[in-house]
Amino acid sequence: MKILSGNEVSKVRRQKISEEVQQLKSKKGVHPGLAVVLVGEDPASQVYVRNKGKACEQVGIQSYEYKMSADTSANDLKLLIEKLNNDDRVHGILVQLPLPKHLNSDEVLSWINPRKDPDALTVENMGLCWKGIARVTPCTPSGVMKILEHYKISVEGKYAVVIGRSNIVGKPMAHLLQEANATVTICHSRTNNLQEYTQRADIVVVAAGKPLMLGREDFKSGAVVVDVGIHRIEVNGQSKLCGDVRFDELDGWVNAATPVPGGVGPMTITMLLENTLKLASL
Ligand code: NAD
């Protein structure tokens, strides 16, 4: 089984991003900047925000972090986003999700200037993406496409199943696969007989958010399995990361699979850097 390493793909792409950031700075005097807004103290979100900051630093993108307390009002958050919309040093604004319950994430995302939306989550960018004329495409699904591209896994004419229909992963994932000429089925929590779909698929992208949900018997021999899920679980009293797929069962059965950690996760951050650079170049 080929291991589809997001770390490896990221290394190659981040090197290229770093060179392009330098060029943009020297030729056009533009220093790409990403603002990351964290509301509350969710530990996983704190780790993601820290990793995003480090990744920016690594490629020469300026990162600006805004940490707000969990009881921040919608109005205060809106004021911050408006300030960032008008800040010329900032080319991308990322509001770390999930937000505390009293804040409506759709409403909050609608405050971001679509020209500064590196995860393509505003309605305008979702529409452009759907129309096939995207400024940038959402980070996680784009990262999956880049992994497939890097490992020369052809998508055209293949039967792909995406498990999950969220706006941030499942829906755009299905769209990008379809744009790359796969025949796509979206499965979700109300799908009957999920296995009937996954066992026929050449490519399965799993984004159900359910730890270790699928294993060897769910895939056809020779399939390509991409695991988007990321969870922290306890095994024999030790904390470890896992995905939605029981990765250990796949060797000798499927053709290729992404591990967790080291698969889709690093690519999400890499695409965030790439999209911020793209927005800065526009
Ligand atoms: P979500 O909870 O918004 O969506 C989950 C989707 O899975 C839903 O559409 C639901 O219908 C479907 N689903 C749930 N249970 C199912 C089941 N038993 N059978 C079939 N479908 C089922 O989650 P999300 O934001 O799309 O994220 C999915 C997972 O990916 C989470 O584990 C999340 O942490 C992870 N994630 C990882 C990255 C990364 O960079 N690796 C990025 C984003 C999300």
Side-chain angles (χ1 to χ4, degrees):
M1 177 180 80
K2 176 96 192 149
I3 293 182
L4 307 176
S5 165
N7 283 335
E8 194 178 305
V9 186
S10 283
K11 206 165 141 195
V12 176
R13 295 198 82 88
R14 287 188 199 188
Q15 177 59 39
K16 195 161 170 275
I17 295 169
S18 181
E19 288 161 15
E20 288 179 14
V21 166
Q22 286 317 317
Q23 276 179 19
L24 192 65
K25 274 161 76 175
S26 60
K27 291 196 179 142
K28 296 201 173 154
V30 176
H31 189 171
L34 175 71
V36 181
V37 180
L38 175 63
V39 187
E41 280 96 37
D42 176 59
S45 294
Q46 284 176 334
V47 174
Y48 294 144
V49 167
R50 204 175 317 130
N51 289 345
K52 284 166 188 169
K54 273 194 212 153
C56 281
E57 207 176 290
Q58 193 193 16
V59 298
I61 290 177
Q62 185 67 50
S63 116
Y64 305 96
E65 270 179 32
Y66 296 85
K67 293 190 175 157
M68 307 184 86
S69 64
D71 61 357
T72 296
S73 70
N75 196 43
D76 283 351
L77 183 55
K78 190 174 185 192
L79 286 174
L80 172 64
I81 293 176
E82 280 170 354
K83 191 177 108 186
L84 298 172
N85 282 339
N86 293 316
D87 186 337
D88 290 341
R89 298 168 309 158
V90 172
H91 304 93
I93 303 168
L94 186 125
V95 178
Q96 185 66 46
L97 301 177
L99 288 166
K101 287 209 165 48
H102 68 283
L103 296 166
N104 175 330
S105 53
D106 281 338
E107 189 186 9
V108 171
L109 292 171
S110 77
W111 299 330
I112 299 174
N113 176 345
R115 292 179 182 277
K116 294 192 175 190
D117 169 25
D119 213 0
L121 286 174
T122 56
V123 171
E124 180 175 315
N125 284 326
M126 286 170 93
L128 291 174
C129 181
W130 211 248
K131 230 182 155 195
I133 51 170
R135 285 186 186 104
V136 290
T137 49
C139 299
T140 301
S142 308
V144 172
M145 295 308 289
K146 299 294 180 197
I147 290 179
L148 297 176
E149 214 174 273
H150 179 93
Y151 287 100
K152 302 196 170 28
I153 293 171
S154 90
V155 172
E156 180 156 330
K158 298 287 166 59
Y159 177 47
V161 165
V162 176
I163 306 180
R165 56 177 166 183
S166 67
N167 285 331
I168 195 162
V169 187
K171 279 187 213 160
M173 185 72 254
H175 176 71
L176 295 183
L177 285 165
Q178 179 264 119
E179 284 223 310
N181 297 323
T183 301
V184 186
T185 298
I186 299 187
C187 296
H188 46 77
S189 53
R190 307 288 174 89
T191 298
N192 293 325
N193 304 322
L194 180 68
Q195 232 186 26
E196 272 182 20
Y197 300 91
T198 58
Q199 282 179 342
R200 283 193 292 118
D202 303 306
I203 301 169
V204 185
V205 180
V206 191
K210 297 279 180 286
L212 308 174
M213 181 175 108
L214 301 184
R216 185 185 181 109
E217 72 282 3
D218 295 299
F219 306 108
K220 81 170 178 187
S221 167
V224 172
V225 177
V226 177
D227 189 355
V228 179
I230 181 145
H231 315 276
R232 190 163 281 287
I233 54 165
E234 290 275 318
V235 179
N236 303 327
Q238 298 237 321
S239 156
K240 67 175 260 199
L241 290 176
C242 74
D244 288 358
V245 175
R246 300 188 296 277
F247 183 78
D248 296 347
E249 296 179 8
L250 303 181
D251 196 20
W253 183 248
V254 306
N255 201 23
T258 59
V260 177
V264 176
M267 285 308 293
T268 296
I269 299 190
T270 299
M271 295 317 297
L272 176 67
L273 304 172
E274 204 160 307
N275 286 350
T276 303
L277 170 63
K278 214 182 249 180
L279 294 174
S281 328
L282 294 175

